[in-house]
Amino acid sequence: MSIQLNNVSYTYMARTPFEKQAIKNINLEIKKGEFVAIIGHTGSGKSTLVQHLNGLLKPTNGSITIDEIVLGKKDEKSKLARKKVGMVFQYPEHQLFEETIYADIAFGPKNLGLGKKEIDKRVRRAMNFVNLDYDMYKERSPFQLSGGQMRRVAIAGVVALQPDYLVLDEPAAGLDPCGRDAIFNKIVELHKKTGIAVILVSHNMDDVAKMASRLIVMKSGEVAVDGKPADVFKETETLVNTGLDIPQIISLMRALEKRGLPVNTDVLTINQA
Ligand code: ADP
């Protein structure tokens, strides 16, 4: 069970003067059960990459396979991909639109064609999961909630789809430290309990170092480094290849050390000099 990207490239506004190749020749396999963090500078291609994982963007070149399903141009395959791969975008609360919290969370499961009983069960479970009391909140408008609560409703909507892979693009952006901890604790809990694969795009090195079992560093649309967090920082050469800024590298290494993972601090010394 895995998502495979085979030589995937994507160009925005191809064949226009604004043409921009955002990702180039990406070869990756993400297995069920992994916790992968994707990091890299703004504009390095992270969002473009993850939007391919559930068929939202179609590669300009190359192909994507999800659990042996080759994503093609046909809609039914994209639908199947969306069932397997849940996607939480940046500021997902902007996509809330129903009158009640219940209806918003039920929207996805309804689209899967599930029956009322199963939808009820999933909404209840998803709300419980994000710590929103079902009876208290189900009839309320999502727009009366705080920013952090709205974010939780949006995440509950994706969790209710029970995907095998969960893609999160900066899921804690704009939240206070309490709100971000609440979200990340839930994601870690879900990962541990269900074995769901998590693919997290984040610029917060602390969050990444705390949770990820694999780091993918994007640089100018390509995978610069891919490996276990501690291994990524073993060699000066690998470190330079990431293209990350020194402050980012330092905070990542500190966080890895806090987690008890061995990091080669000599590398840090060399690069600070
Ligand atoms: P990241 O998520 O790492 O910040 P993106 O995937 O958003 O990177 O962007 C990769 C490149 O593609 C950047 O140069 C960006 O300007 C460009 N890009 C992203 N979205 C669009 C778009 N909708 N139209 C044109 N260019 C885009």
Side-chain angles (χ1 to χ4, degrees):
M1 300 272 275
S2 68
I3 301 180
Q4 283 178 303
L5 283 82
N6 312 303
N7 244 348
V8 170
S9 301
Y10 186 80
T11 304
Y12 287 102
M13 294 183 277
R15 294 175 299 279
T16 76
F18 306 105
E19 183 171 281
K20 167 83 202 169
Q21 184 167 35
I23 52 172
K24 288 174 222 164
N25 304 327
I26 308 273
N27 288 294
L28 277 181
E29 180 174 23
I30 297 171
K31 295 200 176 98
K32 220 190 145 196
E34 281 195 285
F35 198 127
V36 183
I38 302 181
I39 59 177
H41 277 297
T42 304
S44 59
K46 303 180 298 294
S47 292
T48 306
L49 171 66
V50 296
Q51 287 178 65
H52 280 81
L53 301 181
N54 77 339
L56 210 62
L57 288 180
K58 307 262 189 292
T60 312
N61 284 302
S63 66
I64 293 160
T65 309
I66 300 175
D67 298 344
E68 273 105 58
I69 304 163
V70 182
L71 293 191
K73 306 244 180 261
K74 283 198 179 150
D75 270 357
E76 81 253 28
K77 292 213 173 148
S78 295
K79 213 172 159 192
L80 206 60
R82 270 172 224 158
K83 200 169 153 183
K84 285 180 176 279
V85 186
M87 180 89 80
V88 177
F89 295 98
Q90 289 181 30
Y91 297 95
E93 59 274 24
H94 295 168
Q95 281 147 29
L96 299 174
F97 65 99
E98 294 279 2
E99 278 178 18
T100 66
I101 290 171
Y102 181 97
D104 236 307
I105 300 173
F107 180 79
K110 243 186 210 165
N111 265 357
L112 291 181
L114 300 171
K116 185 170 173 347
K117 234 179 164 180
E118 176 65 19
I119 294 173
D120 265 3
K121 195 168 90 189
R122 287 194 183 201
V123 173
R124 217 177 252 276
R125 208 188 284 156
M127 285 182 69
N128 186 33
F129 172 70
V130 296
N131 289 346
L132 285 170
D133 185 86
Y134 179 81
D135 293 313
M136 198 191 291
Y137 285 100
K138 67 177 186 291
E139 294 302 332
R140 284 203 202 170
S141 160
F143 303 103
Q144 292 167 348
L145 300 174
S146 72
Q149 285 173 322
M150 275 165 85
R151 184 81 49 100
R152 270 147 57 194
V153 170
I155 292 176
V158 177
V159 169
L161 294 168
Q162 296 184 359
D164 293 321
Y165 305 87
L166 179 62
V167 180
L168 302 136
D169 193 350
E170 299 280 5
L175 297 183
D176 60 23
C178 223
R180 47 180 325 121
D181 280 352
I183 298 259
F184 282 129
N185 288 341
K186 284 290 159 193
I187 293 165
V188 170
E189 185 188 326
L190 185 70
H191 172 69
K192 284 196 177 140
K193 260 193 194 157
T194 66
I196 192 171
V198 176
I199 299 120
L200 168 72
V201 175
S202 179
H203 70 273
N204 186 312
M205 297 299 137
D206 253 358
D207 295 337
V208 161
K210 259 191 256 165
M211 296 179 284
S213 52
R214 177 176 170 195
L215 274 187
I216 294 175
V217 189
M218 296 292 293
K219 185 178 155 197
S220 309
E222 293 180 274
V223 173
V225 179
D226 178 0
K228 288 197 181 119
D231 292 344
V232 168
F233 295 94
K234 259 192 190 148
E235 316 253 337
T236 309
E237 199 191 330
T238 321
L239 191 64
V240 171
N241 274 346
T242 63
L244 293 171
D245 300 331
I246 297 291
Q248 281 185 309
I249 290 170
I250 293 173
S251 64
L252 187 49
M253 290 181 107
R254 289 214 174 110
L256 287 170
E257 276 187 320
K258 239 196 262 170
R259 185 173 150 186
L261 294 174
V263 288
N264 181 1
T265 38
D266 288 350
V267 178
L268 190 62
T269 320
I270 292 162
N271 277 275
Q272 268 183 305

